[in-house]
Amino acid sequence: MGLNPRLAPHMAKMQSNMIFSLLPKLSELGFISFAPGAPDAAVFPFDDILGITRDLLGSDPGGLLQYGVTEGYPPARDAMAKLISGYGLAPKADEIIVTTGGQQAIELLCKMFIEPGDVALVESPTYSAALQILKSLRAQVIPIESDSQGIIPEDLEEKIKIFTPKIVYIVPTFKNPSGATISYERRSAVAEITGRLNVLLIEDDPYRDLRYEGDHLPTIKSFDRSGNIVFLTSTSKILCPGLRVAAAYLPEALIPYMTIAKQAADMHSATLPQAIAGEYIRRGLLGGHISKLCSVYKARRDLMLACISESFPKSIDVAAPMGGLFIWCVCPDGTNTTDLLEQALERKVAYIPGEQFFADGRGKNTFRLNFTSAAQGDISKGIEILGQVLRNNV
Amino acid sequence: MGLNPRLAPHMAKMQSNMIFSLLPKLSELGFISFAPGAPDAAVFPFDDILGITRDLLGSDPGGLLQYGVTEGYPPARDAMAKLISGYGLAPKADEIIVTTGGQQAIELLCKMFIEPGDVALVESPTYSAALQILKSLRAQVIPIESDSQGIIPEDLEEKIKIFTPKIVYIVPTFKNPSGATISYERRSAVAEITGRLNVLLIEDDPYRDLRYEGDHLPTIKSFDRSGNIVFLTSTSKILCPGLRVAAAYLPEALIPYMTIAKQAADMHSATLPQAIAGEYIRRGLLGGHISKLCSVYKARRDLMLACISESFPKSIDVAAPMGGLFIWCVCPDGTNTTDLLEQALERKVAYIPGEQFFADGRGKNTFRLNFTSAAQGDISKGIEILGQVLRNNV
């Protein structure tokens, strides 16, 4: 007997997110792992966080430890509004909902709009955990076509007209997994189209501050004239992910609904981490820290690209990102990067096969490399080994 | 136009949980509030928590601030297993999933099993936020009949046979809202019936340690021979709710599914609060703290009962709880406690009308009083005022 046959059918079919289950195990086991979507713990600002935590617990311990407000600890809402103001937007604190990581914001928004059978449009490839959420809600997920400038506006418009989606989900800057960025013109066009056709656009933009070259681009939200764009940001990549502090900047009309959804999900996010991240921002420490991160991560990106250029077969198309955490590799058709992973793992190197980032089974010949979490020596050694595996197989 | 017409229909119908929206506002505004479901912040162990936090950030900051494991920070899983072992159970750490409050555990479990139209059986009255979750999943919620010993086993068995529910949700000890406790014999019977008929039983038991008289009863889970009972506990009522640290002790077969569901929901709960609560338990501080809480809260319960006995009309049936946070009041048929609340609020006293704790619109003549979060002077004064309102209307 047992209960498993009684699980909802969508659960029985669900698979754990491979990226996330790989994460904690590999580096402990002596692997060189390019699998995580994580920043480097060695550059977290430990002393500042310790000092802030001590100050906070000394000044308002009751407020930090009692039940809090679903929408977020008020000073954290203020701070997240301040962070987002730095992106050329002008949110008020009460247009912000603080969430347990960007993941929760995506899930709550999807739950608010998606019923089984509803359509969501996504980039291809896109963030695999967003695909996982959409599948768990039994959405029909349709990819939007892209080129070197990002998603193609004409395809977006056509697919909105054909499929009347409830949601368009986009990671516009240095996206996970491919590192690609949507151009200025396309950002404006995406806002115009989703606004005119009255579709919710989720603009998930946690990587934008990690820019190693070129100028910052305006958010898609900055072109919003219709109040249909939700802008998501997170402190996970620019401060530290274990605090799980992210934020959604919402059109005012959606605030009560997202509040209700969050209340059902967890009442509120843990207060102390919200307060720590908020105070770090309030004290103006984030700018300097991001500069430091960019300097460290740019060097690793450059090193990884240089090593790839030396070791990888020329038939592999490697996208050099201008920021973020990831380098995206496309092998010749017919290559199966899941099969190749076994050979890489035998040699103690890990990456993420790309198929899981596609809604439609494409991408079997792609893989994602993270360059921010491995040390420089490991980058050289690991890419050399991966190059050997690829040269033997591609 | 706007997006609201495009929300999923279940969202458009949802209402914010009244208890929770009342919470943050009233005491600031000078009200005497018996509305919260909260412990008293004045008795939180601030110094211990500050010391622990300092020690933790000094010893493993990387582990606390980097991405963590979905199932829970390992020392917190150990500690929650230890906490649950104190309830006569014997969980292994890998049978524990740490959640963002008990609320998240309930929501994840419901999502794992409930599809629209599926049936859930609940006590009547029951925890209103569980009802809210079930409604958002479009479950059909059927109440189980109760008497002074708790839910009636024959009614449970009959309703399982008629409705083939996916879930039975029970708060067995000092339940929210009524403070009632299920007897020893009924606990055994509930485990036998749900086991034999292969229905998931969610035993949500966050109040059991707050016992002011009588002996502890075994958990329903301790009678589990079929592996169909999930036991939930939380540190919210016995340590502090702002940390949002709770745990589910699951049948092994369900662990991977709840992990997947949690991964989609928030990747993992914030690590620092897990570590703080876990270390507080590991250091053996919780037992002494609970003794202190019981002494403080028992005095408030006794005071509130004495004040009620003096002020309330005798036609109101008042249940004296042996523990927990709540006193439950049943007015004569025809009384509308939502209407009466307006008069109470005019006189700056708040309580929670009982209707929202019922799945079927009953309970319009009931209300819930919290006795743990108001100071003694406020209890005397507030109950006196409420008594006047009731005497004028009941």
Side-chain angles (χ1 to χ4, degrees):
Chain A
M1 288 257 281
L3 288 165
N4 291 21
R6 314 210 59 180
L7 287 162
H10 70 276
M11 281 306 299
K13 274 181 272 169
M14 275 176 77
Q15 287 188 329
S16 177
N17 181 331
M18 184 174 165
I19 296 177
F20 208 68
S21 37
L22 278 174
L23 258 186
K25 294 151 199 167
L26 290 175
S27 46
E28 290 168 23
L29 300 170
F31 281 70
I32 297 174
S33 181
F34 304 129
D40 182 1
V43 291
F44 293 156
F46 295 116
D47 291 342
D48 285 330
I49 286 176
L50 179 58
I52 283 170
T53 306
R54 196 185 292 126
D55 293 348
L56 289 168
L57 281 170
S59 64
D60 179 26
L64 295 172
L65 299 177
Q66 184 56 288
Y67 278 113
V69 185
T70 300
E71 295 88 334
Y73 184 61
R77 293 177 89 187
D78 289 340
M80 297 308 280
K82 179 180 170 185
L83 174 66
I84 293 169
S85 299
Y87 305 149
L89 297 168
K92 291 174 285 186
D94 60 7
E95 294 170 317
I96 301 288
I97 290 183
V98 182
T99 59
T100 308
Q103 183 76 16
Q104 186 183 49
I106 302 168
E107 204 213 16
L108 295 178
L109 289 163
C110 289
K111 278 202 297 201
M112 286 160 58
F113 283 84
I114 298 280
E115 294 213 291
D118 282 346
V119 171
L121 300 185
V122 300
E123 296 166 284
S124 185
T126 190
Y127 178 43
S128 53
L131 291 178
Q132 191 185 6
I133 290 167
L134 289 166
K135 283 179 193 164
S136 80
L137 294 167
R138 282 157 292 169
Q140 189 189 349
V141 184
I142 308 277
I144 315 161
E145 297 305 319
S146 296
D147 61 20
S148 64
Q149 304 297 302
I151 60 168
I152 298 172
E154 293 72 19
D155 191 61
L156 173 65
E157 175 152 4
E158 191 184 339
K159 284 184 174 147
I160 292 176
K161 288 176 174 168
I162 295 173
F163 295 107
T164 57
K166 285 291 191 74
I167 280 177
V168 178
Y169 173 77
I170 288 178
V171 185
T173 318
F174 317 134
K175 88 173 157 180
N176 183 359
S178 72
T181 294
I182 299 178
S183 71
Y184 184 101
E185 291 71 20
R186 296 278 174 91
R187 288 170 186 244
S188 163
V190 165
E192 190 279 320
I193 292 165
T194 55
R196 173 163 43 85
L197 300 177
N198 196 32
V199 182
L200 175 72
L201 172 65
I202 302 175
E203 180 182 19
D204 185 13
D205 206 17
Y207 306 107
R208 65 175 291 117
D209 280 323
L210 300 178
R211 175 177 281 277
Y212 316 133
E213 59 191 76
D215 294 326
H216 286 292
L217 291 171
T219 63
I220 303 177
K221 174 77 179 167
S222 68
F223 299 104
D224 184 10
R225 302 287 166 268
S226 312
N228 67 298
I229 301 180
V230 177
F231 180 81
L232 306 184
T233 189
S234 171
T235 64
S236 291
K237 305 301 188 287
I238 53 178
L239 182 53
C240 45
L243 294 175
R244 316 296 303 118
V245 178
Y249 166 31
L250 297 158
E252 197 182 353
L254 292 182
I255 290 275
Y257 295 99
M258 189 155 168
T259 303
I260 293 168
K262 180 159 170 64
Q263 196 176 299
D266 65 5
M267 289 289 186
H268 67 87
S269 298
T271 311
L272 182 60
Q274 294 186 62
I276 294 170
E279 181 64 12
Y280 191 86
I281 293 165
R282 198 193 66 77
R283 292 188 184 182
L285 297 168
L286 198 55
H289 184 62
I290 288 170
S291 298
K292 181 179 161 192
L293 291 180
C294 286
S295 150
V296 172
Y297 292 163
K298 177 182 190 301
R300 292 188 194 172
R301 177 201 64 165
D302 293 346
L303 174 65
M304 189 176 275
L305 287 170
C307 296
I308 285 173
S309 170
E310 269 181 35
S311 308
F312 280 19
K314 299 301 167 212
S315 60
I316 297 179
D317 185 34
V318 177
M322 298 176 80
L325 309 182
F326 306 114
I327 291 173
W328 181 245
C329 303
V330 181
C331 301
D333 284 346
T335 311
N336 184 316
T337 58
T338 303
D339 293 345
L340 286 187
L341 180 60
E342 284 180 38
Q343 294 182 42
L345 289 174
E346 275 169 25
R347 303 192 58 188
K348 299 237 161 191
V349 176
Y351 61 79
I352 303 285
E355 186 181 356
Q356 66 190 280
F357 300 101
F358 292 82
D360 54 3
R362 286 188 288 177
K364 289 188 174 58
N365 59 327
T366 62
F367 62 97
R368 190 192 79 176
L369 297 172
N370 167 273
F371 57 81
T372 57
S373 61
Q376 301 222 353
D378 281 349
I379 291 176
S380 312
K381 192 171 153 201
I383 294 297
E384 162 81 40
I385 292 170
L386 258 191
Q388 290 167 15
V389 170
L390 292 166
R391 289 198 303 277
N392 292 340
N393 289 278
V394 172
Chain B
M1 285 259 280
L3 287 165
N4 291 22
R6 314 210 60 180
L7 287 163
H10 69 276
M11 280 306 299
K13 272 180 274 168
M14 275 176 78
Q15 288 189 326
S16 178
N17 181 333
M18 182 175 167
I19 295 178
F20 209 66
S21 36
L22 279 175
L23 258 186
K25 295 152 199 165
L26 291 177
S27 45
E28 289 168 22
L29 300 172
F31 281 71
I32 297 175
S33 181
F34 304 129
D40 182 2
V43 292
F44 294 156
F46 296 115
D47 291 342
D48 285 330
I49 286 176
L50 179 58
I52 284 170
T53 306
R54 196 185 292 128
D55 293 349
L56 289 168
L57 281 170
S59 64
D60 179 26
L64 294 173
L65 299 177
Q66 184 55 287
Y67 278 114
V69 185
T70 300
E71 295 88 334
Y73 185 60
R77 293 177 90 187
D78 289 340
M80 296 308 279
K82 180 181 169 184
L83 175 65
I84 293 170
S85 299
Y87 305 149
L89 298 168
K92 292 175 285 187
D94 60 8
E95 294 169 319
I96 301 290
I97 290 183
V98 182
T99 58
T100 307
Q103 183 76 16
Q104 186 182 48
I106 301 168
E107 203 213 17
L108 296 177
L109 288 163
C110 289
K111 278 202 298 201
M112 286 160 59
F113 282 84
I114 298 282
E115 295 211 289
D118 281 346
V119 171
L121 300 184
V122 301
E123 296 167 284
S124 185
T126 190
Y127 178 45
S128 52
L131 290 177
Q132 192 184 7
I133 291 168
L134 289 166
K135 283 177 193 165
S136 80
L137 294 166
R138 282 158 292 170
Q140 189 189 349
V141 183
I142 308 277
I144 315 162
E145 298 303 320
S146 296
D147 61 19
S148 63
Q149 303 298 300
I151 60 168
I152 298 171
E154 293 73 18
D155 190 61
L156 174 66
E157 175 152 2
E158 191 183 337
K159 284 183 173 147
I160 293 176
K161 287 177 175 168
I162 295 174
F163 295 107
T164 57
K166 284 291 190 74
I167 280 176
V168 178
Y169 173 77
I170 288 178
V171 184
T173 317
F174 316 135
K175 88 173 157 181
N176 182 357
S178 72
T181 294
I182 300 178
S183 71
Y184 184 101
E185 290 72 20
R186 296 277 173 91
R187 288 169 186 244
S188 163
V190 165
E192 190 280 321
I193 292 165
T194 55
R196 172 163 46 84
L197 300 177
N198 197 33
V199 182
L200 174 71
L201 173 64
I202 302 175
E203 180 183 18
D204 185 11
D205 206 16
Y207 306 106
R208 65 175 293 118
D209 280 323
L210 299 178
R211 175 177 281 277
Y212 316 132
E213 59 190 77
D215 294 326
H216 285 293
L217 291 171
T219 63
I220 303 177
K221 175 76 179 168
S222 68
F223 298 105
D224 184 9
R225 304 285 166 268
S226 311
N228 67 297
I229 301 179
V230 176
F231 179 83
L232 306 184
T233 189
S234 170
T235 65
S236 290
K237 304 302 187 288
I238 52 179
L239 182 53
C240 46
L243 295 174
R244 316 297 301 122
V245 178
Y249 166 30
L250 297 158
E252 197 181 352
L254 292 182
I255 290 276
Y257 295 99
M258 188 155 170
T259 303
I260 293 168
K262 180 161 170 62
Q263 197 176 297
D266 64 6
M267 288 291 186
H268 67 86
S269 298
T271 311
L272 182 59
Q274 294 186 61
I276 294 170
E279 182 63 12
Y280 191 85
I281 293 165
R282 199 194 66 76
R283 291 187 184 181
L285 298 169
L286 197 55
H289 184 62
I290 288 170
S291 298
K292 180 179 161 191
L293 291 179
C294 286
S295 151
V296 172
Y297 292 163
K298 177 181 190 301
R300 292 188 193 171
R301 177 201 64 166
D302 293 346
L303 174 64
M304 188 176 278
L305 287 170
C307 296
I308 285 173
S309 171
E310 270 182 36
S311 308
F312 280 20
K314 299 304 168 210
S315 59
I316 297 178
D317 185 35
V318 177
M322 297 175 82
L325 309 183
F326 305 114
I327 291 173
W328 182 245
C329 302
V330 182
C331 300
D333 284 345
T335 311
N336 184 316
T337 58
T338 303
D339 293 345
L340 287 188
L341 180 60
E342 285 180 37
Q343 295 183 41
L345 290 174
E346 275 169 25
R347 304 194 55 190
K348 298 237 161 190
V349 176
Y351 61 78
I352 302 285
E355 186 180 357
Q356 66 190 279
F357 301 102
F358 291 82
D360 54 3
R362 285 189 288 175
K364 290 187 174 58
N365 58 326
T366 62
F367 63 96
R368 190 192 81 177
L369 297 172
N370 167 273
F371 57 81
T372 57
S373 60
Q376 300 224 353
D378 282 348
I379 290 176
S380 311
K381 192 170 153 202
I383 294 297
E384 162 81 39
I385 292 170
L386 257 190
Q388 289 166 15
V389 170
L390 292 166
R391 287 198 304 275
N392 291 340
N393 290 278
V394 170

